[in-house]
Amino acid sequence: MPPRQRAAFAMSATTARQVLHPAAIERIAAVVDVDRDVVLEGFTRAELADVELLVTGWGCAPITADVLAAAPRLRAIVHTAGTVRQHVTEACWERGIVVSSAAAANAVPVAEYAVAMIVLAGKRVPDIAREFRAARAQRDWNEIYPDAGNYGATVGLVGASLIGRRVADLLRPFDLEVLLHDPYVADAEVRALGAEPVALDDLFARSGVVSLHAPLLPSTTGMVDARLLGLMRDGATLLNTARGGLVDHAALERELLSGRLRAVLDVTSPEPLPPDSPLWECDGVLLTPHVAGSKGNELRRLADAAAAEVQRWAAGLPFAHPVRRELLPITA
């Protein structure tokens, strides 16, 4: 029997403790030779000399040309999180290393969070809950919020990313009109997702809730600017679970402080907001600390996804969720 391929874990100790649950480690160790108790937070020549596969995670050091020189047998990287931009360098692609990511697994809780917030925002739950707490008495909420509710409401999705697509799919059972804008996706494909393809201006003007799912790229930085925000109707909600840099925060702050718009912000720029930011006390804003992605027991899904990819690789099969170098310029 030929010797099994050699693998190693490369991530922060905290990530390893939180993500690499015992069952996933055993699945990996069943098909490759890996030291269950060793996690590389940095790289040395001796540690990498015979490694063919790296199982990486948050906190992995960049895999540079110097690192690769110390790892002459490295052929594959399986990442237990989403983007690989922070550690998979151009040198990895030049060598022809195959890369997998758990982005699809991490998209699940983000999409669930987004759908939950879309429904709550449409029903004006954050506003009603705040006013109910202040009044400590029942009010005629139909009279106060006659436009609240999700029946026939319009939701706009910006970006047909893994998360955006899953959000569109999860919204199918609801009585909503779903709009979607993505310049890289054909109209027929958008319709197949159960959404109406629209221009960005149209999406912002028509939607009661706009949910951002675009990657942060030079071309998308600050794309949600004062002009687009100005197109949103009074009382509309901006939901951001993507990246804070997609939004011109000065422009958004002006709209939120005026009371014209509302927002659910799981990400901001900077992150977190400064302690003196007026958005902390703004009635129309729900701030959460970047919790839409995998948290708690959801981290197990990331390790399970990585273990499945390691099993495929050890069996000589292609990755189910490969990262494609040619798509990096338009993906997260």
Side-chain angles (χ1 to χ4, degrees):
M1 177 181 295
R4 297 198 304 172
Q5 296 103 323
R6 175 68 180 164
F9 297 118
M11 60 193 73
S12 73
T14 299
T15 298
R17 184 173 64 254
Q18 294 177 346
V19 175
L20 295 177
H21 63 89
I25 293 175
E26 290 306 314
R27 288 175 62 194
I28 292 170
V31 294
V32 295
D33 181 15
V34 64
D35 191 328
R36 296 169 173 81
D37 301 318
V38 174
V39 177
L40 307 181
E41 295 191 75
F43 298 112
T44 68
R45 185 171 297 276
E47 291 168 330
L48 295 175
D50 61 350
V51 169
E52 298 172 74
L53 167 73
L54 280 177
V55 178
T56 63
W58 292 305
C60 178
I63 304 169
T64 63
D66 288 342
V67 172
L68 291 178
R73 300 180 63 185
L74 184 63
R75 298 186 289 115
I77 297 169
V78 172
H79 190 46
T80 60
T83 182
V84 300
R85 289 180 182 275
Q86 281 71 44
H87 66 291
V88 175
T89 67
E90 194 63 26
C92 296
W93 300 114
E94 290 174 357
R95 180 183 282 193
I97 291 172
V98 292
V99 180
S100 170
S101 163
N106 196 47
V108 175
V110 182
E112 292 171 347
Y113 174 106
V115 169
M117 291 301 177
I118 287 168
V119 173
L120 290 175
K123 207 169 179 70
R124 300 297 289 273
V125 168
D127 295 320
I128 293 172
R130 183 186 67 254
E131 295 184 28
F132 185 39
R133 180 181 294 112
R136 303 191 181 192
Q138 190 58 274
R139 296 287 185 265
D140 188 341
W141 304 113
N142 289 328
E143 186 69 25
I144 298 171
Y145 293 104
D147 296 328
N150 291 296
Y151 181 63
T154 302
V155 174
L157 308 180
V158 180
S161 60
L162 286 171
I163 297 167
R165 289 167 184 264
R166 192 169 187 94
V167 170
D169 189 53
L170 291 174
L171 289 176
R172 286 179 188 271
F174 295 88
D175 291 314
L176 294 167
E177 179 183 17
V178 179
L179 313 179
L180 194 152
H181 172 80
D182 191 314
Y184 299 100
V185 179
D187 288 358
E189 189 174 355
V190 172
R191 293 189 183 93
L193 293 171
E196 176 188 346
V198 294
L200 197 57
D201 285 12
D202 193 22
L203 184 147
F204 273 78
R206 291 171 55 186
S207 301
V209 179
V210 174
S211 188
L212 304 182
H213 304 289
L216 183 61
L217 307 168
S219 60
T220 61
T221 298
M223 66 181 288
V224 182
D225 56 12
R227 188 188 66 81
L228 279 178
L229 293 170
L231 295 175
M232 296 178 73
R233 61 180 187 241
D234 292 357
T237 298
L238 181 73
L239 167 59
N240 193 0
T241 57
R243 291 290 184 267
L246 294 172
V247 181
D248 178 340
H249 267 263
L252 178 60
E253 185 177 285
R254 288 192 296 271
E255 291 280 16
L256 296 174
L257 294 178
S258 76
R260 197 182 75 80
L261 297 182
R262 291 162 177 79
V264 177
L265 305 176
D266 188 53
V267 292
T268 55
S269 181
E271 189 175 304
L273 292 173
D276 61 350
S277 170
L279 295 189
W280 290 110
E281 303 296 332
C282 183
D283 285 344
V285 181
L286 175 60
L287 292 170
T288 58
H290 207 143
V291 296
S294 299
K295 292 291 178 288
N297 61 23
E298 294 166 342
L299 295 170
R300 296 173 60 92
R301 184 187 285 116
L302 304 181
D304 289 339
E309 290 290 65
V310 172
Q311 290 174 322
R312 291 182 63 88
W313 180 79
L317 299 172
F319 287 138
H321 301 285
V323 178
R324 303 194 184 282
R325 180 187 191 183
E326 66 273 15
L327 296 181
L328 286 177
I330 59 171
T331 56

